[in-house]
Amino acid sequence: MGTIAIIDYGAGNTRSVLYALRRLGREAVVTADPRAIRRAERVIFPGVGHAASAMERLKEKELDTLLPTLTQPVLGICLGLQLMCRHTDEGDIPGLGIFDAEVHHFRREGEATRSLRIPHMGWNSVHTRGSRLLQDVDDDSYFYFVHSYYAAVAPQTTAITEYGISFSAIMEKENFFATQFHPEKSGKVGERVLRNFLNLKE
Amino acid sequence: MLTFRIIPCLDVKDGRTVKGVNFVNLADAGDPVELGARYAAEGADELVYLDITATHEKRKTLVSLVEKVAARLNIPFTVGGGIAGAGDVEALLAAGADKISVNSSAVRNPSLLDELAYRFGSQCVVLAVDARREEDGSWQVYTHGGRRPAGKELFSWVKEGVERGAGEILFTSMDHDGTGKGYALNALRTLASLVDVPVIASGGAGSPVHFYEAWKKGKASAALAAGLFHYGRLTIGEVKDYLAARGVPVRR
């Protein structure tokens, strides 16, 4: 088994991801070293907090240019997914442009989302549109979400969730994968998603 | 559909679970990690660990406990009790806590909420509020485990807390806590209409219908219970079965 690199740029819940992998019997390295990341068999890109400050930290470590060039399977989580999109309204900044989607605040939609509680926090059902990460997962299973911004549904959206509107729960493009929910905190089904990511065949 | 969350609360003192527990087949009911894992396996949506350790020195054991909990649990958990400042929060989040809850320290220094929201994001900042209804009908906030009046009115304090950056409210009615007669539904509903972040009901759960009422009448996003689950009077599964049968969205 090759190594798993968890990208450490000061804006991710790296510890939770590391522990989740250990529960699956896998070790990982938490690193910001471009060489270690490039060499890894799998790369996980977590993220929490504000998009603009997270992107600043990525740039400081020159990971913003590295990430889109990776060729092994990459998994973005939560803010990681949003940063992999074309643009985010959080701080009005360009993303990494891997996914052809815009990231908006839930409130932006007006009437449909006016009565919603923000953050979208808790367990919500995920409906597949052919996601490879949801293999052997019952459709409409519940996963744990915590976020106030969402990625709009795009051609790379492979699973959707409803919260006032439909948004991207999972996105996939070639070797790039991302989940808006936290698989590392989503019980058994979350473990299945991580396992599916680790077991992907090229 | 977003589900209504059921959240067991574990009181921890000097690294051990305090309240008596009637679980069979549990090697050590005083072990917060074992007990948390048991609740997670039973279907808890989240856990709250409340540290009631008296002395500051011993409280340092909390960080190592949080590490053990984070290593074991595959669901989110909140840590609260005696969190004094951003340094404490940083250490607990780094150890693997998903959210932290502040109570007395936020009353003492409300700008702590702004600081925590700015540094760590509102999504991990829970404002815990203990309050009771006074004779004049107003709801007043208490700190230090309900011993000290804070000189704040519940609804204005919660509103201020959310404006400052709290991402979730954990409201405990001291009048209802421990009674098993149900949550403070009127106060809950007022809170839920006042703020647009999730509100967790706490204090008073005694039977499955109380959870239903917290959702239906109190408009709460989640309900917390301690003794009810610890003493084995109800399982999380029983509560969720009841809720599902009455049309409440729950994760099963």
Side-chain angles (χ1 to χ4, degrees), chain B residues 1 6 13 15 23 37 52 78 105 110 121 140-141 154 162 175 218:
Chain B
M1 183 177 256
I6 305 298
K13 189 177 183 187
F23 277 144
I52 56 171
T78 300
S105 57
Q140 294 295 321
V141 177
L154 169 66
V162 171
D175 295 331

Side-chain angles (χ1 to χ4, degrees), chain B residues 190-247:
Chain B
T190 304
L191 283 177
S193 66
L194 197 64
V195 297
D196 60 5
V197 301
V199 176
I200 305 170
S202 164
S207 74
V209 70
H210 297 148
F211 292 85
Y212 176 75
E213 289 170 346
W215 177 79
K216 181 75 177 175
K217 296 180 183 163
K219 308 293 180 192
S221 298
L224 178 141
L228 182 69
F229 295 135
H230 298 326
Y231 298 114
R233 285 200 287 271
L234 269 179
T235 66
I236 294 160
E238 286 166 348
V239 172
K240 287 194 168 180
D241 287 348
Y242 178 90
L243 292 172
R246 298 195 69 172

